[in-house]
């Protein structure tokens, strides 16, 4: 069966520090991968999605970036965090674009 | 512009009091309408996919239905363990678009 791993679960980082969040999927090949952010009490905002290695689509212009160095690995990065980057970050995968997605357990990021 | 809107934002029910959650969508190239359950501090858990108007799916006390412009999540005789945020999402050719969610609280 397929599983998705996301880490760390919680992270507290100072303003201006770099960020790297990692997500890996097991049990499937060539998944579509997504990064979402969820502000408190809000819905999910799509940040990036990828249909293949090295293929990244950005939905929201900001100081975050994403990379997909391997088929089942998706990384969310920032060179310098802002206070507004605080939130709950979720990685997800799907078989095909626009079909049901399956989520990791999320990373709670607090920028102080 | 593709959009998904959920109502109400919050719903409080007594145990056993049935109700429905609404999800309205305007999406071009719809590939499916999805329902998720999210517990506090956790990632969303997939519940249902609906593909065409008139389709229904059931799981325990939950039943999801779909029309051409809306989907409903019916909760029959809810229990306190059904308390969670319920999210709906529409899929188009490239991605999922989520609504803001309905937070359900079921009191014993």
């Amino acid at each position: 069966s397929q599983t998705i791993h996301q880490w760390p679960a919680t992270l507290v980082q100072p303003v201006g520090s770099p960020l790297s969040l990692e997500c890996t999927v097991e049990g499937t090949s060539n998944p579509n991968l997504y990064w979402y952010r969820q502000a408190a009490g809000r819905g999910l905002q799509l940040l990036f999605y990828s249909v293949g290695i090295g293929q990244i689509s950005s939905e929201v212009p900001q100081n975050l970036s994403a990379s997909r160095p391997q088929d089942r690995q998706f990384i969310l990065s920032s060179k310098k965090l802002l206070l507004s980057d605080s939130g709950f970050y979720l990685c997800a995968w799907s078989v095909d674009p626009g079909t049901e997605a399956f989520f990791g357990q999320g990373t709670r990021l607090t920028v102080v | 512009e593709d959009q998904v809107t959920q109502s109400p934002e919050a719903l409080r029910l007594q145990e056993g009091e049935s109700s429905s959650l609404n999800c309205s969508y305007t999406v071009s190239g719809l590939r499916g309408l999805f329902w998720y359950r999210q517990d506090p501090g956790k990632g969303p858990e997939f519940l249902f996919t609906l593909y065409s108007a008139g389709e229904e799916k059931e799981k325990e006390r939950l039943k999801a239905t779909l029309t051409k412009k809306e989907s409903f999540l019916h909760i029959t005789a809810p229990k306190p363990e059904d308390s969670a945020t319920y999210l709906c999402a529409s899929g188009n050719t490239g991605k999922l678009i989520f609504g803001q969610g309905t937070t359900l609280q079921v009191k014993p």
Side-chain angles (χ1 to χ4, degrees), chain A residues 21-45:
Chain A
L21 301 181
E22 189 166 342
C23 171
T24 60
V25 180
E26 296 179 355
T28 187
S29 296
N30 196 30
N32 292 276
L33 296 172
Y34 309 86
W35 279 111
Y36 285 88
R37 179 169 61 197
Q38 187 174 35
R42 303 286 300 275
L44 277 68
Q45 178 187 37

Side-chain angles (χ1 to χ4, degrees), chain B residues 36-106:
Chain B
Y36 291 83
R37 170 190 170 129
Q38 186 176 25
D39 293 305
K42 304 288 187 181
E45 174 191 352
F46 172 73
L47 294 173
F48 303 111
T49 300
L50 302 166
Y51 292 105
S52 57
E55 188 175 0
E56 299 183 352
K57 294 274 181 73
E58 286 190 64
K59 180 180 181 179
E60 296 181 354
R61 294 175 292 281
L62 302 177
K63 183 169 79 173
T65 61
L66 183 66
T67 71
K68 289 186 177 180
K69 294 185 177 181
E70 293 178 304
S71 179
F72 295 92
L73 185 65
H74 307 278
I75 303 176
T76 301
K79 298 182 178 181
E81 53 262 42
D82 294 322
S83 298
T85 295
Y86 291 86
L87 299 165
C88 77
S90 62
N92 65 9
T93 53
K95 56 196 178 186
L96 294 188
I97 302 167
F98 280 83
Q100 297 298 302
T102 294
T103 299
L104 173 65
Q105 184 180 25
V106 182

